[in-house]
Amino acid sequence: MEPENDTRISEFYLLGLSKEPALQPLTFGLFLSMYLITVFGNLLIILAVSLEPPLHTPMYFFLSNLSFGDICFTSTTIPKMLQNIWTQSKVITYEGCIIQMYFFILFAGLDILLLTVMAYDRFVAICHPLHYTVIMKPLLCGLLVLASWIMSALNSLLQSIMVLWLSFCTGLEIPHFFCEINQVVQLACSDTSLNDTVMYFAAGVYGGASLTGILYSYFKIVSSIRRISSVQGKYKAFSTCASHLSVVSLFYCTSLGVYLSSSATHSSHSSAVTSVMYTVVTPMLNPFIYSLRNKDIKKVLRRTIGMAAV
């Protein structure tokens, strides 16, 4: 007997990370702590870049946009998860699921594009230092960020609208702590081949093309650094991009880890657990990476925190 399609569904059920009631308070406290650290850490970066004139450069302009994107990225998933744990409810409305999916794809794509733009900024700074101020003008920086927003928004809008076209059956349980598009599409009764094609194409463009651009930028950067004669000059050149390289490595390694673990285990629950790394842990660690490895940020944060304490 075939399941009956129901296009007028009103809600989905987010199964979360654990079904054990005893673990719910621990999960709530852990994710609330990580969320607060993420928000306050990235807000400090934005505040420092906004208030300190020495940080009014293209690199820190892109960094402040990345921090804003990270705050929004985690805010699309964690507050709803905390609400569900607190109220002991697994329900998310159909409209709420689509909205959450839209903003998750939007800010995930934005993070990828901003990391690519930041790699280009470091490429120009190290490979063409004499032309850096001429190339990286405020207008170009603004256009690069605007283009990142527009491309991410259009991709997110397209994929979200395509989910609206699908018909869903009675089993509407999502084995995740948020409305991950792949999990939602798998619940559909109608043909999802077009959705799958668009998802894989977008993943290839955003993931593959962006990673190719980043790798090419760092290939040229390493080639330029090798031509520097002094050890001190090499260290100074590399130190300007060490933080960005660390963030890129963390983001792509955790994303690749999620993909490989889900492919190896074929378990939706395992995929949900490992996805915590790039949806929560990576945005939380980014401010620490930039503040610990960057003398300018470290100096400004000390002064900002000191002023706040006074």
Side-chain angles (χ1 to χ4, degrees):
M1 185 175 180
E2 293 185 0
E4 181 180 354
N5 287 2
D6 181 12
T7 57
R8 298 185 300 275
I9 60 171
S10 60
E11 57 191 26
F12 291 96
Y13 296 92
L14 297 172
L15 300 185
L17 296 174
S18 174
K19 297 180 181 179
E20 295 294 332
L23 293 177
Q24 297 305 311
L26 177 63
T27 304
F28 182 88
L30 178 63
F31 276 83
L32 177 61
S33 301
M34 290 194 293
Y35 178 65
L36 292 177
I37 292 171
T38 300
V39 172
F40 288 122
N42 283 288
L43 278 177
L44 275 176
I45 296 290
I46 295 172
L47 185 65
V49 172
S50 301
L51 297 180
E52 294 295 326
L55 300 184
H56 292 174
T57 63
M59 181 175 72
Y60 295 114
F61 171 70
F62 296 135
L63 175 59
S64 63
N65 278 274
L66 180 67
S67 294
F68 177 75
D70 282 342
I71 292 173
C72 297
F73 185 52
T74 53
S75 296
T76 60
T77 56
I78 303 305
K80 179 58 181 175
M81 175 190 179
L82 295 175
Q83 180 194 359
N84 285 1
I85 295 175
W86 183 261
T87 59
Q88 298 182 354
S89 169
K90 298 180 182 297
V91 174
I92 183 171
T93 63
Y94 176 78
E95 295 79 8
C97 186
I98 298 297
I99 292 171
Q100 186 183 66
M101 187 191 310
Y102 170 81
F103 283 107
F104 181 83
I105 299 172
L106 168 64
F107 291 113
L110 181 64
D111 271 11
I112 293 173
L113 292 176
L114 286 177
L115 288 173
T116 309
V117 169
M118 293 171 76
Y120 174 71
D121 172 73
R122 293 298 83 205
F123 160 74
V124 176
I126 294 175
C127 299
H128 306 283
L130 298 179
H131 301 93
Y132 179 73
T133 55
V134 177
I135 297 174
M136 300 304 294
K137 292 180 178 179
L139 177 60
L140 177 62
C141 296
L143 288 175
L144 288 172
V145 171
L146 180 62
S148 300
W149 274 95
I150 292 174
M151 290 175 62
S152 300
L154 291 177
N155 171 56
S156 181
L157 183 63
L158 173 63
Q159 298 205 47
S160 300
I161 289 176
M162 291 181 65
V163 173
L164 290 173
W165 296 343
L166 298 176
S167 300
F168 291 91
C169 303
T170 54
L172 300 175
E173 294 183 342
I174 301 174
H176 220 299
F177 62 93
F178 67 95
C179 287
E180 199 269 331
I181 185 170
N182 189 46
Q183 299 289 343
V184 174
V185 168
Q186 288 179 11
L187 296 176
C189 294
S190 52
D191 180 34
T192 61
S193 57
L194 184 58
N195 296 74
D196 294 333
T197 301
V198 172
M199 279 193 293
Y200 289 128
F201 178 76
V205 171
Y206 278 83
S210 298
L211 183 59
T212 300
I214 292 171
L215 291 176
Y216 175 77
S217 296
Y218 274 101
F219 172 77
K220 302 297 287 185
I221 287 171
V222 171
S223 299
S224 296
I225 291 177
R226 289 181 61 185
R227 290 196 293 268
I228 299 175
S229 56
S230 67
V231 176
Q232 186 178 1
K234 290 181 178 180
Y235 175 79
K236 184 178 180 181
F238 181 76
S239 64
T240 61
C241 55
S243 298
H244 175 260
L245 186 59
S246 300
V247 170
V248 168
S249 301
L250 181 64
F251 182 85
Y252 276 97
C253 287
T254 53
S255 301
L256 183 61
V258 170
Y259 173 76
L260 293 177
S261 64
S262 60
S263 299
T265 61
H266 300 285
S267 169
S268 299
H269 180 262
S270 174
S271 176
V273 173
T274 52
S275 66
V276 171
M277 288 300 297
Y278 77 90
T279 57
V280 184
V281 176
T282 299
M284 180 184 69
L285 292 180
N286 285 354
F288 292 99
I289 293 173
Y290 273 98
S291 60
L292 292 176
R293 300 186 66 90
N294 191 297
K295 293 180 180 179
D296 295 332
I297 288 286
K298 200 185 302 184
K299 188 188 303 180
V300 170
L301 285 178
R302 284 202 199 101
R303 188 159 60 245
T304 304
I305 294 171
M307 290 171 62
V310 172

